[in-house]
Amino acid sequence: MSGAYTVSVRGLCEFTARSGDLSARFTPAPTAQQGIAGHQRAAARRGPGYQRELTLEGRHHLLKVRGRADGYDPGLNRLEEFKTHRGDLERMPANQRGLHWAQLKMYGAMLCAKRGLPGLELALVYVDIENDTETCFREPIAALELQREFDDLCARFLAWAVREMAHREHRDRWLIGLTFPHASLRSGQRQMAVAVYRAAVGGEALLVEAPTGIGKTIGSLFPMLKAVPRQRLDKVYFLVAKTSGREPVRHALEQFGTGAEAPALRVLELIAKEAACEFPGRACEAQSCPLARGFYDRLAAARTLAIETLHLDRNSVRRAALAHQVCPYYLTQELIRWCDVIVGDYNYFFDTRAILHGLTQENQWRIGLLVDEAHNLLARARDMYSASLVPAVFADALRAAPPALWRPLAEVEREWRAIHGTQANAYAAHAFVPETFIASLRQATTSLAEHMAQESAAPERSTPGPSTQDRALLTFYFQALHFCRMSEEFGGHSLFDVTQQGATATPCIRCVNPGDFLRPRFATAATAVLFSATLSPGAFYRTLLGLPESTAWINVASPFDQRQLEVRIEPRISTRYHDRARSLGPIVELMARQYRARPGNYLAFFSSFDYLDAVLGLFQARVADIPVWRQTRGMSTAERAGFLARFTPTGAGIGFAVLGGAFAEGIDLPGERLIGAFIATLGLPQVNQVNREIERRLEALFGSGYEYTYLYPGLQKVVQAAGRVIRTATDRGTVILIDDRFQGARVRRLLPGWWQVQRQGGGAYLNAPDDNSYYLIK
Ligand code: SF4
């Protein structure tokens, strides 16, 4: 084994110097911005000659320890570490304070060694971000003592580091020898795999539009893994939009394990806290949960046991956790550091406080990012970076508030009324978020945080988790906190609007262009590949997802023959809102005619449940002999399974569903299980005041307000829904696009190039030239 193992000061200390209980109890913590501002203010108070942000490095055998100390005062020979906090410092758990001291001592040891100092004064400075006061703990210490502590912690980490280096060498060797698990790549899969590999080794970003059926999961994962040794990637993150997206990843990884040599890839599946928790409803602290008690004392044993299993899914992590009586959820978070492929939802990397992104930055990992079904990221990211305050949540908090919170909450109520009191219309967008409103929310969150912290620390607490009142307060607290956080970031990428309904008003910071938030996330990845069956036009996704200008876009050839799919446009029907009533009869007629011409299983998609109800009502009244079943609002998992179970190979009938809903993407009904789809809508989002405002902003930003707000998102849903029909090379089917606007060249250009769209009265439309060709990878 050669080379060095690099570890951050924080990583080293968290591994070796943590003991005792897990305490994720409610503690009012500063936001990242408040933390940075607190650090800067504290550093600015230091005198001339003060040295800020010292980069330090130390060696211990093959360990290289790196870190950045906050500041050094050469006049006082004092090394300082700043930690921001909110509220009573006494509530900080002792093991957290111990961790801070351990970090400071590591910096002290490295500074003494670097400058030949015989000793120095260590100062742990806690900065209260509420009143900007400092509480300082000092300790003079000799260099020899610091070196002894440095060596001690390093020695405790060394055996693990040796093991990790061996694992990495083995992993990279195994990856170099890894071969594609099938005899050959499918049509289109090779094109995709080559493009992904080139992007990965070139450190580029890539958008891949590839039809269902070519094996996108293995076609992206295999080349990304092959690039790991060459690009010296630490980890690959495979991010999915839905839980169901994990299964194909699991399946692909299992196939890699069938070669001659034993696999050497540690894979971790991230799971939500609710799914992993063994004691739902309890607080994550020693008082309430036995798996939090002594967590850090048993973590090392649980970690060692866990990584003996290469594929760490929910069950295997749980087994290791319970064998050593530690919490499975927090063990999973710890295991991120030691696994090679992490599979999880988008939010683990893109959310405002995403753990994968935080750890990547902190440890300076080189990561390869794979984003599955990437068309979903746009809407998901908009949600992540939007914030609204729900009047009913605030009303619940008001009812639950103890006297100490009445005043700050009353102030919020007053300011809340003020922002909509003068608003004449039910909806209005405003140029800025009123400072006084935010100030009242900040004050309320501070008071709420104090209250919740006191409650959770109270020794006489009778229940192991928060009470109903506390839950109401907590829900509002988190909403208000997120609102304040997004107000700090407010800019051209977002709208601030207020929607009035009766006497209540909902203020909302609405993210329109998530690209501004996602750009720095993508910048932390060594390479990023986003793929989906619908990523057209490339410029639309590249811009709104914040990908670099240099991002390549490829459209992978479909493995299907155009003769497999008959695509027809029905131009005599308009599904525009004002034509809906007139459209019902012709749609019913068309569906019945198609069904009688070729009986079998069909899906019919509509723009809304109201439209679906109207067509279904008439269909049932006029066509009694064709079986129908329908999607309803808020279906449970069992109900969704029941809907899909009607599509049997020998069955026949029409399932009514809404476009963009649970049955419009991500479902697989091969062969005779689905032979056709009716799509009675262009999928355009509703024209309302919010969307008009979004359109105006997108027009101002990109000059394509209509396309970016309505046309592209709408057609993306149409193509996804139509994609349910042909799933294998032997499938044959029909898609009927019901609306005269499908005839327009601007709309047809957004339909897949391999479709041959039939003209009314015979013949086919010529396929439009590919607008995205200038993005094609060289
Ligand atoms: S088991 Fe549940 S309550 Fe206990 S620490 Fe884990 S997540 Fe928290």
Side-chain angles (χ1 to χ4, degrees):
M1 202 180 304
S2 59
Y5 186 96
T6 304
V7 61
S8 67
V9 166
R10 185 166 167 177
L12 175 71
C13 294
E14 283 180 350
F15 192 94
T16 54
R18 248 188 171 167
S19 61
D21 305 330
L22 173 84
S23 180
R25 78 152 69 137
F26 189 90
T27 41
T31 64
Q33 275 210 345
Q34 288 169 331
I36 294 166
H39 267 69
Q40 286 168 345
R41 282 198 302 275
R45 282 193 283 269
R46 271 51 193 170
Y50 188 79
Q51 297 167 9
R52 300 183 176 92
E53 306 264 319
L54 291 92
T55 302
L56 297 167
E57 197 173 296
R59 290 295 295 244
H60 177 93
H61 300 287
L62 49 73
L63 273 189
K64 191 194 279 182
V65 184
R66 272 199 319 220
R68 206 157 48 194
D70 285 333
Y72 175 65
D73 186 328
L76 299 170
N77 189 25
R78 180 187 293 159
L79 181 66
E80 293 187 309
E81 178 70 5
F82 302 123
K83 300 287 179 194
T84 51
H85 75 107
R86 278 174 104 152
D88 189 356
L89 200 52
E90 288 304 309
R91 282 198 298 259
M92 183 176 286
N95 59 356
Q96 196 174 339
R97 186 90 61 87
L99 194 64
H100 295 160
W101 270 117
Q103 287 173 13
L104 181 52
K105 285 179 176 173
M106 294 303 102
Y107 293 132
M110 292 191 287
L111 185 67
C112 286
K114 184 176 180 182
R115 301 197 178 178
L117 301 174
L120 43 61
E121 185 177 68
L122 298 177
L124 190 52
V125 184
Y126 288 99
V127 183
D128 190 336
I129 54 124
E130 291 302 338
N131 49 27
D132 214 14
T133 54
E134 295 182 11
T135 307
C136 187
F137 300 92
R138 296 198 190 112
E139 183 185 327
I141 190 160
L144 276 177
E145 172 65 10
L146 286 170
Q147 189 59 44
R148 194 189 57 72
E149 297 219 19
F150 180 85
D151 289 338
D152 179 41
L153 288 202
C154 287
R156 279 197 253 161
F157 185 66
L158 195 57
W160 183 268
V162 170
R163 178 179 176 151
E164 283 308 292
M165 285 176 78
H167 164 72
R168 179 133 176 179
E169 275 187 24
H170 180 198
R171 178 197 80 171
D172 286 356
R173 252 198 336 272
W174 182 76
L175 286 173
I176 289 166
L178 184 68
T179 53
F180 194 70
H182 305 299
S184 63
L185 283 97
R186 288 186 219 169
S187 152
Q189 202 175 37
R190 175 178 298 281
Q191 187 193 353
M192 178 175 184
V194 168
V196 172
Y197 184 74
R198 280 192 195 156
V201 296
E204 302 284 347
L206 171 69
L207 283 161
V208 182
E209 184 176 72
T212 310
I214 67 154
K216 287 194 282 288
T217 306
I218 206 159
S220 59
L221 198 49
F222 176 74
M224 182 62 85
L225 289 175
K226 289 298 288 179
V228 163
R230 186 159 160 195
Q231 258 284 18
R232 293 175 293 101
L233 295 180
D234 294 297
K235 290 167 200 300
V236 172
Y237 297 161
F238 196 108
L239 304 177
V240 297
K242 296 180 185 139
T243 312
S244 56
R246 291 154 188 246
E247 187 48 44
V249 188
R250 216 173 284 152
H251 182 63
L253 288 162
E254 275 165 13
Q255 295 176 63
F256 294 144
T258 55
E261 211 188 328
L265 204 60
R266 292 185 195 145
V267 180
L268 177 68
E269 290 186 28
L270 299 179
I271 29 172
K273 191 171 180 179
E274 305 77 58
C277 180
E278 292 289 317
F279 294 96
R282 299 213 187 170
C284 305
E285 54 175 317
Q287 244 178 302
S288 307
C289 177
L291 301 183
R293 211 171 298 143
F295 176 88
Y296 292 109
D297 301 331
R298 296 186 298 277
L299 176 60
R303 179 170 53 211
T304 306
L305 178 64
I307 61 159
E308 281 171 16
T309 306
L310 283 178
H311 195 119
L312 288 157
D313 61 5
R314 180 186 174 179
N315 291 335
S316 45
V317 174
R318 182 171 185 266
R319 264 196 308 276
L322 296 189
H324 291 281
Q325 284 297 291
V326 298
C327 166
Y329 174 70
Y330 287 101
L331 175 61
T332 306
Q333 299 213 332
E334 162 67 21
L335 292 170
I336 292 170
R337 292 162 176 83
W338 316 112
C339 287
D340 308 302
V341 177
I342 317 289
V343 186
D345 186 274
Y346 292 166
N347 69 297
Y348 289 105
F349 188 76
F350 293 113
D351 212 343
T352 46
R353 283 144 56 108
I355 185 167
L356 287 182
H357 179 250
L359 285 172
T360 303
Q361 276 196 311
E362 184 189 314
N363 295 290
Q364 295 173 28
W365 287 331
R366 288 178 56 74
I367 59 150
L369 206 57
L370 292 171
V371 183
D372 187 22
E373 301 294 357
H375 62 276
N376 287 302
L377 183 57
L378 181 51
R380 289 286 306 277
R382 278 183 170 150
D383 274 357
M384 290 172 201
Y385 295 102
S386 295
S388 64
L389 295 169
V390 179
V393 168
F394 183 59
D396 286 348
L398 275 177
R399 271 191 294 277
L405 294 174
W406 289 352
R407 217 167 131 179
L409 291 181
E411 188 60 18
V412 170
E413 195 174 27
R414 204 172 66 77
E415 290 295 333
W416 197 324
R417 285 221 176 94
I419 58 171
H420 73 99
T422 51
Q423 186 174 307
N425 302 320
Y427 173 85
H430 304 266
F432 56 88
V433 193
E435 241 328 298
T436 49
F437 181 50
I438 296 301
S440 72
L441 282 173
R442 282 212 187 94
Q443 185 50 52
T445 54
T446 303
S447 305
L448 277 160
E450 265 308 307
H451 168 76
M452 302 307 302
Q454 277 167 14
E455 284 293 295
S456 77
E460 69 279 8
R461 205 148 41 109
S462 55
T463 56
S467 64
T468 311
Q469 281 89 342
D470 286 350
R471 278 185 212 285
L473 294 172
L474 265 179
T475 307
F476 174 67
Y477 171 78
F478 287 120
Q479 266 189 16
L481 205 61
H482 185 54
F483 198 91
C484 289
R485 191 177 297 134
M486 295 326 300
S487 77
E488 288 168 8
E489 310 266 351
F490 188 68
H493 44 64
S494 300
L495 298 170
F496 171 58
D497 58 29
V498 179
T499 308
Q500 299 189 118
Q501 205 171 26
T504 63
T506 305
C508 179
I509 296 173
R510 200 180 297 277
C511 174
V512 176
N513 173 21
D516 287 346
F517 294 102
L518 298 179
R519 196 167 298 114
R521 300 291 162 115
F522 283 115
T524 56
T527 175
V529 177
L530 296 85
F531 50 95
S532 160
T534 47
L535 281 181
S536 284
F540 169 67
Y541 285 100
R542 178 178 56 75
T543 310
L544 289 187
L545 295 181
L547 289 157
E549 286 279 329
S550 59
T551 304
W553 181 97
I554 61 159
N555 176 269
V556 174
S558 171
F560 306 129
D561 189 309
Q562 57 183 211
R563 282 167 300 188
Q564 286 183 253
L565 183 68
E566 181 194 6
V567 185
R568 295 206 312 262
I569 293 173
E570 176 46 67
R572 290 163 301 190
I573 299 175
S574 160
T575 63
R576 293 171 185 84
Y577 190 72
H578 54 266
D579 293 328
R580 295 251 164 106
R582 265 197 305 276
S583 73
L584 305 182
I587 291 177
V588 167
E589 231 174 80
L590 171 73
M591 289 167 67
R593 202 168 50 240
Q594 171 63 28
Y595 181 89
R596 294 199 202 292
R598 191 185 169 201
N601 291 312
Y602 288 83
L603 268 166
F605 293 103
F606 301 89
S607 54
S608 65
F609 279 105
D610 288 345
Y611 202 7
L612 182 157
D613 287 340
V615 178
L616 180 61
L618 193 66
F619 194 95
Q620 285 175 312
R622 290 192 183 170
V623 190
D625 61 318
I626 298 178
V628 288
W629 57 97
R630 60 161 302 166
Q631 178 181 2
T632 52
R633 286 184 172 87
M635 276 174 134
S636 65
T637 310
E639 287 167 333
R640 285 205 297 271
F643 180 94
L644 292 174
R646 299 282 303 259
F647 294 87
T648 61
T650 52
I654 304 175
F656 283 61
V658 288
L659 197 73
F663 306 110
E665 66 173 275
I667 59 159
D668 205 16
L669 298 168
E672 297 301 305
R673 291 187 68 194
L674 184 71
I675 62 159
F678 306 96
I679 302 179
T681 166
L682 263 77
L684 307 183
Q686 204 187 10
V687 178
N688 56 29
Q689 286 173 306
V690 175
N691 283 336
R692 273 198 206 104
E693 209 54 56
I694 292 174
E695 181 186 0
R696 260 195 286 278
R697 179 62 58 87
L698 289 172
E699 180 66 33
L701 288 172
F702 307 111
S704 307
Y706 174 76
E707 290 81 356
Y708 276 32
T709 310
Y710 301 102
L711 188 62
Y712 299 158
L715 266 293
Q716 178 269 317
K717 290 193 199 117
V718 168
V719 176
Q720 274 289 342
R724 303 308 97 206
V725 179
I726 302 297
R727 312 296 290 175
T728 73
T730 54
D731 285 6
R732 294 205 166 253
T734 305
V735 167
I736 303 182
L737 304 171
I738 307 172
D739 195 288
D740 59 290
R741 288 166 290 176
F742 279 111
Q743 291 184 112
R746 190 159 64 143
V747 172
R748 276 189 295 109
R749 211 176 0 245
L750 296 168
L751 303 178
W754 70 276
W755 287 7
Q756 195 171 44
V757 183
Q758 300 301 309
R759 279 176 182 277
Q760 175 75 16
Y765 289 101
L766 284 178
N767 283 343
D770 190 345
D771 265 358
N772 295 293
S773 50
Y774 64 96
Y775 280 118
L776 290 181
I777 196 165
K778 307 280 181 305

